[in-house]
Amino acid sequence: MDGEMSFFMDTQVVRIDPDNLDHGALKRAGALIKAGGLVVFPTETVYGLGANGLDAGAVKRIFKAKGRPSDNPLILHISRAEDLDRLVAEVPTTASMLMERFWPGPLTLVLKKSPLVPDAVTAGLDTVAVRMPSHPVAMNMIYYAGVPVAAPSANISGKPSPTRTSHVVYDLMGRVDMIIDGGDVDVGLESTVAEVTGGGVIILRPGGITLEQIGEVAGEVFIDPAISNNNAMDIPRSPGMKYTHYSPDAEVIVIDGILDRVVIRIQQMAEELESQGKMVGIMATDQTRALYKRGTVISVGDRERPRTIAANLFAVLREFDGIGVDVILAESMDQSGVGLAVMNRLLKSAGYNIVRA
Ligand code: TXA
Ligand code: MG
């Protein structure tokens, strides 16, 4: 497993049914990780690209396989709460309460790290991100690996995170040792990342566990100002490409405002873009899909059930790329509950390109 990694690796694809676990295959995947290999595995949020989190060499191969900048730290995944102790310097009471309530599940805690954690994982920070996923395939594979599993989302850096096996195969076939096909994921957006170092809780990335849910346990919760940029809806076009992330090949434009006006504005924009010869995709919702008369219309889910939108968002962005549209016009979503995470990802995929209806 040492030496220069070529991108023409022999990638095994192994199907594991989450409802009928193949423990032999899970043990093989765990052993591969422990030995320094790269294994893509399903979690309840998105697919992860896993390696032995205590092996700096293996961790560096993750960055290479997805083309990720080395200054972006990774999450360590564990299968039992007690595995946390040797990875962190201390566990604040608030962190224990959050773990008690939300682990296993889509909550990542950023805590002061212990010396055991390699710098390659934390990008040299003095904190480490840890999470215990609830997906049975992830849990068992991590357990059999016997080491914390470092895993970013299993996409090529900058692309939408993978929520279906086909996404992973498209991005990483030939770049990893094994891909576990565990079917479609559940949440569809990455975990909530919360820093719990001083007294309080700061949300660094909104996700499947909502601000409201964390507030119920922790009392006061702060949001990283970088995320509150989501509220800068009145800025028509915002800064640069350095914020671009989760990006399909097509240009994404988010149209914000009262829903009736959003629909009208999208119709107008679609007409204008088509007259310029552009192929237009419209990211609609179940409530609005029938109202559009132009472009390729795909519903991302039901506005009354924002979790359906979270589950479909990345898949729909990738679907538009498969169709080959030039521009995706996306309706903005309500930001309460999981909507905060949905809008965070959507605005990033658009490079904060927002138009007010
Ligand atoms: O749901 C998820 O969290 C998925 C699945 C595979 O578990 N993983 C995931 O990993 O989304 P990744 O690498 O795509 O995103 C990890 C995020 C990044 O934004 C990274 O900057 C942040 O967590 N992060 C990791 N360690 C950190 C630290 N010590 N301090 C602050 N942020 C950290
Ligand atoms: Mg990612």
Side-chain angles (χ1 to χ4, degrees), residues 43 45-48 66 68 72-75 77 108 110 125 127-129 131 151-153 189-191 193 204-205:
T43 83
T45 57
V46 299
Y47 273 82
K66 54 176 286 180
R68 179 179 175 109
N72 193 1
L74 302 177
I75 297 170
H77 296 70
T108 295
V110 173
L125 299 175
T127 52
V128 61
R131 113 170 170 90
S153 50
L189 299 178
E190 307 83 350
S191 62
V193 178
L204 305 182
R205 177 176 74 180

Side-chain angles (χ1 to χ4, degrees), residues 255 259-275 280-284 288-297 329-331 355 357:
I255 293 80
L259 190 55
D260 293 351
R261 303 231 311 251
V262 166
V263 172
I264 293 168
R265 189 66 208 269
I266 288 179
Q267 290 267 66
Q268 289 168 346
M269 290 175 73
E271 188 173 336
E272 202 175 303
L273 287 160
E274 286 184 345
S275 75
V280 177
I282 297 177
M283 191 190 281
T288 59
R289 69 190 309 167
L291 303 173
Y292 295 104
K293 305 295 174 222
R294 297 181 166 273
T296 303
V297 183
L329 302 176
E331 296 173 1
V355 167

